[in-house]
Amino acid sequence: RNVQKHSKKRGAGQKRESATSTATSTTLGGDAAKAVAIGVGVLKIFNPISVVKGCCEAVIERVERVLSSSSDRRLWTLDTSMDRDFDARIGRFRGGLQLMAAFGFVDPTSENNTSSSSSSLSSTSIPGRLSLRNTHGLKSDEGLKASYVQVLKGALRDLRQHVESLEYPEMSNN
């Protein structure tokens, strides 16, 4: 009987964990792993592998900056009209904006639209500004929530795996 009670408790804990992870993944607009895969896939379809790798590494650098200083609000927004590095390494390539959207960087003017995810994926023009999704309600002295940071770390891990698979294409299913 004691064994059965413990296994029931573990099952309830696992349900709570999955509900929590589902709730945090929606802070970035859905399943982050799928969004990363779509962004990398679009990059791979329209660009040479060297461009895909460089773009992914640039996105990794940007997201690592946010994670290293998650309370610095300046890192939550990118001014794409002034940032030449962004344009040269991410923005000018088809799929670059989709990959940034996988990490929650979206055009804040289209964030409130119900079709924002579909319009951001089909858009070919670069918006003037990209901001982290769902951060506008945070207090000025507050950093990113721990659950948000965890989802960013998970998506970053997924992107690193995609970059590794680019180096050894014969071993990957991508």
Side-chain angles (χ1 to χ4, degrees), residues 2 8 13-14 36 38 67 71 75 94 111 121 139 155:
N2 287 340
K8 286 181 183 177
Q14 289 171 347
V36 169
I38 290 169
L67 291 173
S71 61
L75 299 174
R94 193 158 183 189
E111 184 178 356
L121 289 178
K139 297 175 185 172

Side-chain angles (χ1 to χ4, degrees), residues 114-165:
T114 55
S115 62
S116 66
S117 60
S118 62
S119 67
S120 68
L121 289 178
S122 62
S123 175
T124 56
S125 65
I126 298 176
R129 188 171 290 282
L130 294 177
S131 297
L132 275 178
R133 183 182 290 141
N134 298 333
T135 57
H136 58 277
L138 296 175
K139 297 175 185 172
S140 61
D141 61 343
E142 202 173 13
L144 292 175
K145 294 183 180 180
S147 58
Y148 200 99
V149 170
Q150 284 304 112
V151 173
L152 279 175
K153 286 180 180 178
L156 193 60
R157 182 187 64 244
D158 292 337
L159 181 56
R160 284 189 177 120
Q161 289 173 348
H162 283 284
V163 171
E164 287 176 21
S165 74

